[in-house]
Amino acid sequence: MNAILEVKGLTKNYKDFQAVKGIDLEVEEGEIFGFLGPNGAGKSTTINMLSTIIKPSTGYAKVNGFDNVKEKNKVRASIGLIFQESTLDEKLTANENLMLHCKFYGIEKSIREERIVEVLEIVDLVDKRKNIVETFSGGMKRRLEIARGLLHYPRVLFLDEPTVGLDPQTRAHIWEYILKLKEKAGITIFLTTHYMDEAEICDRVAVMDHGKLIALNTPEALKAKVGGDIIEITAEDLPKAKEIIESSYNLEVQKKDDKLSFQVEKGSEFLVQLVREMDIAITSVNLRRPTLNDVFLHLTGREIREESVSKKDMMRKSMRGPH
Amino acid sequence: MEGILAVWQRDVIKFFRNRAQLIGSFAMPFMFLILFGSGMSGAMSSMLGGGGESGALAEFDFVQFMFPGIIGMTVFNTAIFSALSVVQDKEFGYMREILVSPMSRVSVAIGKVLGGSTVAVFQGLMMLIFVPFIGVSITISMVLQLIPIMFLVAFALSSIGLLIATALKTAQGFQMVIQVLIFPMLFLSGALFPLNGLPTWMDILVKINPLTYSVDMFKKIILEPEKMDPALRQAMGLDIEVFNHVITFTDEIIAVSILSIVFVVLATIRFNKAEA
């Protein structure tokens, strides 16, 4: 296996803070590689450096064997990019958008037609070819962007939050297309996300927080690190329940909202024991396998969605304005 | 090369697809020519021909005088505003699609300037629709002279527009800057009134204004001053003198060409440095 993407000591400094604090990683050809972390962790800055949009402060990145700074245009020809925000020209038709892309990337005239049909078939948009993009739904625009990103047969496809802002059904569809892509074209996919379920589809996941990689492994291995099962309980006197569980079973208990959560080796057996031995009335129990969210919680002591959700809420509030 | 063409093609397609803009572009020239021009026309001819001592001055027709200036105004506006698409592309994200592609930034800049220039020439030619209503006679050979001159002038202004656009982030800001820039330049160009008997300070501004020479080229093609009575030519301000040298058509072509080259180079350098 060859490394198609090679990153060493990559950092990005802005005036008053360091957005990316030194990243090393290698991505193998044909992998789906996920970049997971809360908003503001430095994911987008990293992906922008890898795709030659911004210059790293120190360190280097190589894509397809080309240096991201010295051989910018060769890197650009080897990658496809799908940004968080749409970069389609909505006043033009789907076909015009694709045709312009062919010209920007110097795709030979004789094969343009064939390529356009090919990528439109992957994303099921052949019959919308002559329509103005403005009339497309959010999901269709995303699909068209994915199609466009594939036109020049990139070796690596970068997807920055590919499904953000889409409804669950459309998200699922977009993923179908991405997986289809991997199978058909053998393309390497590098994506950022803060959706846990999306990260689980990846072959390997790098967890990023505060500009640093804090873990890098397969989703299974990461979850195994958390160890055992997750038990969540609610009880009448939570602080006291926490104290009892911590002292008598020697466990690390986290309190969140109105429930306690902790990890144990054999969840179902432990639960029976706990309910029998506990003096305080337990009002509900929940036993589950760890998710990547638990991995993040385990690594940082925070939940990944907490911050992003509260940020969105704040935005919504400020957008509504005073009433 | 292909990249330049693609960037150019996109702007041209979008120009012809935008019906509202096409129709709206007639509004300003219409107001100036028909409302303002016709209104002023009577006053002007009574002021000039009022003495009755000169037959030549009685021929002064203000609307006809303004017509080349209005074509000029249309070309300037369209060309300089064409760079608005660069700012909008930044706002709506399309600029990233362009900038992350392997084509060179120089191609993008040149494509944009050429696109803006082409659109401005079309827009300028569309103003010929007014010809039958204002009694100017336009020959085919005039149109054939007009096209390259319009293109040259538009090229200079598109480059200025692009230079400004690279520095700005919002469409609103761009529109503000351009308005503040283009209006005084237009008023000081002789497009809307004859350049004679001006106060010295204004005369200086008029003569350092590149639009003066651009408008003058349109006037020289359309009004045919060489066939005019010298007194009328004088009244229309068609003999521009700089340091006692009467400016010729060739001088003007050279001046505007130099201006074009300077600004397209500056704009390309600036654009080349911009991050996606």
Side-chain angles (χ1 to χ4, degrees), chain A residues 4 16 20 25 32 56 77 88 97 109 114 156 176 180 184 195 211 213 216 228 241 245-246 288:
Chain A
I4 189 101
D16 46 353
V20 176
L25 60 89
I32 298 187
L88 295 164
N97 268 290
K109 214 172 201 164
E114 187 189 317
V156 185
E176 259 172 53
K180 204 156 91 183
K184 261 189 95 174
Y195 292 117
L213 290 189
L216 198 170
I245 298 169
E246 272 174 346
R288 59 180 176 80

Side-chain angles (χ1 to χ4, degrees), chain A residues 129-144:
Chain A
R129 193 175 163 179
K130 304 274 181 220
N131 295 20
I132 302 269
V133 175
E134 224 169 12
T135 64
F136 283 20
S137 68
M140 280 158 71
K141 284 181 197 164
R142 264 288 101 147
R143 273 147 62 194
L144 180 59

Side-chain angles (χ1 to χ4, degrees), chain A residues 58-114:
Chain A
T58 62
Y60 74 88
K62 273 185 179 174
V63 179
N64 198 15
F66 302 119
D67 187 282
N68 277 37
V69 177
K70 288 177 211 137
E71 296 165 294
K72 232 186 226 175
N73 284 348
K74 281 184 181 158
V75 172
R76 286 175 178 171
S78 335
I79 61 174
L81 274 168
I82 287 121
F83 297 103
Q84 261 179 55
E85 307 86 19
S86 164
T87 62
L88 295 164
D89 190 331
E90 304 211 344
K91 300 282 178 200
L92 299 178
T93 64
N95 188 58
E96 284 165 340
N97 268 290
L98 297 176
M99 211 33 125
L100 283 174
H101 189 90
C102 287
K103 291 177 184 170
F104 294 161
Y105 283 77
I107 295 171
E108 258 176 81
K109 214 172 201 164
S110 54
I111 55 168
R112 282 178 198 163
E113 177 65 28
E114 187 189 317

Side-chain angles (χ1 to χ4, degrees), chain A residues 48 53-54 73 76-77 81 83 85-89 91-92 96-97 100-101 103-105 112 132 148, chain B residues 2-3 6-7 9-10 13-14 17 92-94 96-105 275-276:
Chain A
N48 282 346
I53 291 171
I54 55 177
N73 284 348
R76 286 175 178 171
L81 274 168
F83 297 103
E85 307 86 19
S86 164
T87 62
L88 295 164
D89 190 331
K91 300 282 178 200
L92 299 178
E96 284 165 340
N97 268 290
L100 283 174
H101 189 90
K103 291 177 184 170
F104 294 161
Y105 283 77
R112 282 178 198 163
I132 302 269
R148 189 181 62 180
Chain B
E2 179 99 61
V7 174
Q9 186 192 21
R10 172 167 170 258
I13 293 177
K14 288 179 82 171
R17 195 162 288 168
F92 294 113
Y94 196 80
R96 300 186 112 191
E97 155 77 358
I98 294 177
L99 293 184
V100 298
S101 75
M103 74 179 151
S104 77
R105 298 279 172 95
E275 281 199 335

Side-chain angles (χ1 to χ4, degrees), chain A residues 138-176:
Chain A
M140 280 158 71
K141 284 181 197 164
R142 264 288 101 147
R143 273 147 62 194
L144 180 59
E145 270 188 289
I146 292 176
R148 189 181 62 180
L150 295 171
L151 264 181
H152 54 285
Y153 284 176
R155 304 288 300 278
V156 185
L157 188 66
F158 288 95
L159 299 144
D160 194 4
E161 305 270 358
T163 60
V164 83
L166 299 176
D167 60 81
Q169 210 188 344
T170 316
R171 270 177 62 194
H173 273 297
I174 297 285
W175 272 102
E176 259 172 53

